Amino acid sequence: MPLAFRTDDKGILPDRMIAALAQAGGIIAAAEFAPDQIQPASLDLRLGEVAFRVRASFLPGPGATVAERIDDLKLHEIALGDGAVLETGCVYIVPLQESMALPADVAAAANPKSSTGRIDVFTRVIADQTRGFDRIEAGYHGPLYAEISPRTFPVLVREGSRLSQIRFRRGHALLDAQALADLHARERLVDDQAADVRDGVSVGVDLAGFAGLVGYRAKRHTGLIDVDRRAGYDVGEFWESMAARRDKNLILDPDEFYILASKEAVQVPPDYAAEMVPFDPLVGEFRVHYAGFFDPGFGYAGAGGRGARAVLEVRSREVPFILEHGQTVGRLVYEKMLGRPDQLYGQGIGSNYQAQTLKLSKHFRT
């Protein structure tokens, strides 16, 4: 179908509109899309053929291109065709196979894929002449780049690997407090009778545990992880499991990486998309959830869920910090879709985390 909007159309583009946007030339791909590359409310972005190791992270700013900044900052160039190892503590810039020629009324936002965040690979998308990461202004014409910095595990990537995803939106479609409260009354977005939905659905951390397990802490000095390999690694080689404590507390050690789960089971109805946003950064010295997109159908009963826990990727900052059971660590904000996706999350599209509780990334054998 051709891509056409009414004047008052606002919302996130669903799968069929993303395909139409590409067909109309709004997304320019170096190679034909993979069959599962278009998700219900986003497009996976593929790495190109080369990575540049650079001295430091950067933003080009107005008047500069990413390519110009790479020329100033690159240390060396790495071919990705047959696979290459990206080392921890280094910053790499990779031109993506997808570039943009967006219409004047369509903007975009990027985020790491869930599996990327769960192995502590910090990745952001950069566009030319921009002052911010992961945000592409309406009408942008130009290339996209991934900034990649493995934090805990070295990773093996190759041309075509997908670490990031991008959403397209027309206008402002974020639900305000009243609209979110009305949606919660109709659909019960979270399984908490006393849910706080004033500024998004409040998400707390579960430290009571699942069969005695509250989460995992990443080990240091491990082997590498091939980002395209499913169920290829033993959990114990990379993670220490953490048992529930009687006091339901957890002390986060500085610069350690943890996988935890939300206390609440959440769901995203078919006509909406959600995103995890950080809670007030003044409440604690930690960062939660690199990968923020939740697709339509996540945790939704009609798509094979019964509510699903949000997996929390947690890293403490400079000082030890105590998390307590139920402590608010983030909020889910909801936006309207421009149309219901043809396929929902969990419906035959290889969704890895439908109906999840506490779950590591798809790379590990369960």
Side-chain angles (χ1 to χ4, degrees), residues 5 68 89-90 116 120 270 276 325 344:
F5 301 111
E68 290 167 346
C90 300
T116 307
D120 202 19
M276 178 79 81
H325 179 66
L344 299 177

Side-chain angles (χ1 to χ4, degrees), residues 135-152:
R135 294 294 180 266
I136 295 88
E137 293 184 359
Y140 174 74
H141 284 55
L144 297 178
Y145 301 79
E147 176 194 289
I148 306 168
S149 182
R151 302 294 303 276
T152 297

Side-chain angles (χ1 to χ4, degrees), residues 277-288:
V277 295
F279 190 51
D280 183 349
L282 300 178
V283 302
E285 290 296 318
F286 60 92
R287 175 193 172 98
V288 172

Side-chain angles (χ1 to χ4, degrees), residues 269-318:
D271 297 310
Y272 298 86
E275 182 175 357
M276 178 79 81
V277 295
F279 190 51
D280 183 349
L282 300 178
V283 302
E285 290 296 318
F286 60 92
R287 175 193 172 98
V288 172
H289 215 283
Y290 296 147
F293 288 161
F294 289 72
D295 274 339
F298 178 85
Y300 188 68
R306 293 173 302 281
R309 307 297 180 102
V311 166
L312 308 172
E313 300 131 13
V314 179
R315 176 179 287 280
S316 186
R317 296 195 177 108
E318 287 83 3

Side-chain angles (χ1 to χ4, degrees), residues 4-17:
F5 301 111
R6 298 187 300 270
T7 303
D8 59 347
D9 279 345
K10 297 178 181 180
I12 302 293
L13 274 61
D15 44 17
R16 63 184 176 279
M17 291 186 187

Side-chain angles (χ1 to χ4, degrees), residues 3 42 50 60 67 100 104 138 145 149 154 167 178 193 207 224 256 270-271 323:
L3 187 66
S42 63
V50 63
M100 298 290 124
Y145 301 79
S149 182
R167 272 185 179 171
Q178 186 58 58
Q193 296 287 357
L207 295 177
L224 62 82
E256 296 293 330
D271 297 310
L323 281 182

